[in-house]
């Protein structure tokens, strides 16, 4: 598709197939993350909706193609803290 004209009109010129594919891709990724992190609804005790699995670390869905995640729990906590601090600094900047 050819997108032209002022930038404010570009959003509406993108083909609808792209937006449909994007929504399905995001839904697929989020559903996978939910099945990894949360206890299935039929196994959750009453009054504890949204219960996380004991083995789940927020943000860890098993995707580390470069092998950057430290194996040592102490090093992992240090890396996690660094990421949070750098993220906060980036938001301030």
């Amino acid at each position: 598709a050819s997108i032209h004209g002022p930038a404010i009109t570009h959003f509406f010129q993108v083909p609808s197939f792209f937006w449909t594919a994007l929504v399905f891709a995001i839904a697929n990724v989020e559903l996978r993350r939910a099945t990894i992190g949360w206890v299935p609804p039929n196994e959750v005790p009453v009054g504890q909706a949204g219960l996380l699995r004991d083995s789940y670390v927020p943000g860890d869905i098993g995707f580390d193609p470069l092998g950057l995640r430290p194996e040592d729990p102490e090093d992992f906590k240090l890396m996690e803290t660094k990421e949070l601090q750098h993220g906060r600094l980036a938001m301030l900047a």
Side-chain angles (χ1 to χ4, degrees):
S2 175
I3 298 177
H4 58 278
I8 197 164
T9 65
H10 290 181
F11 181 81
F12 299 106
Q13 294 179 37
V14 175
S16 61
F17 171 76
F18 170 78
W19 298 118
T20 305
L22 182 65
V23 166
F24 279 109
I26 291 172
N28 185 28
V29 170
E30 289 296 324
L31 182 61
R32 181 174 180 268
R33 184 179 64 90
T35 57
I36 290 171
W38 279 266
V39 175
N42 59 346
E43 298 174 13
V44 175
V46 175
Q48 293 186 4
L51 185 64
L52 290 174
R53 296 180 191 269
D54 292 332
S55 61
Y56 178 66
V57 176
D60 183 15
I61 58 171
F63 181 77
D64 187 18
L66 300 177
L68 299 175
R69 183 177 191 256
E71 296 297 325
D72 182 36
E74 183 88 14
D75 290 341
F76 180 74
K77 277 298 203 187
L78 182 63
M79 177 77 78
E80 187 178 46
T81 302
K82 287 179 183 179
E83 284 186 18
L84 286 171
Q85 295 301 327
H86 290 148
R88 290 174 182 153
L89 182 62
M91 285 189 278
L92 289 174

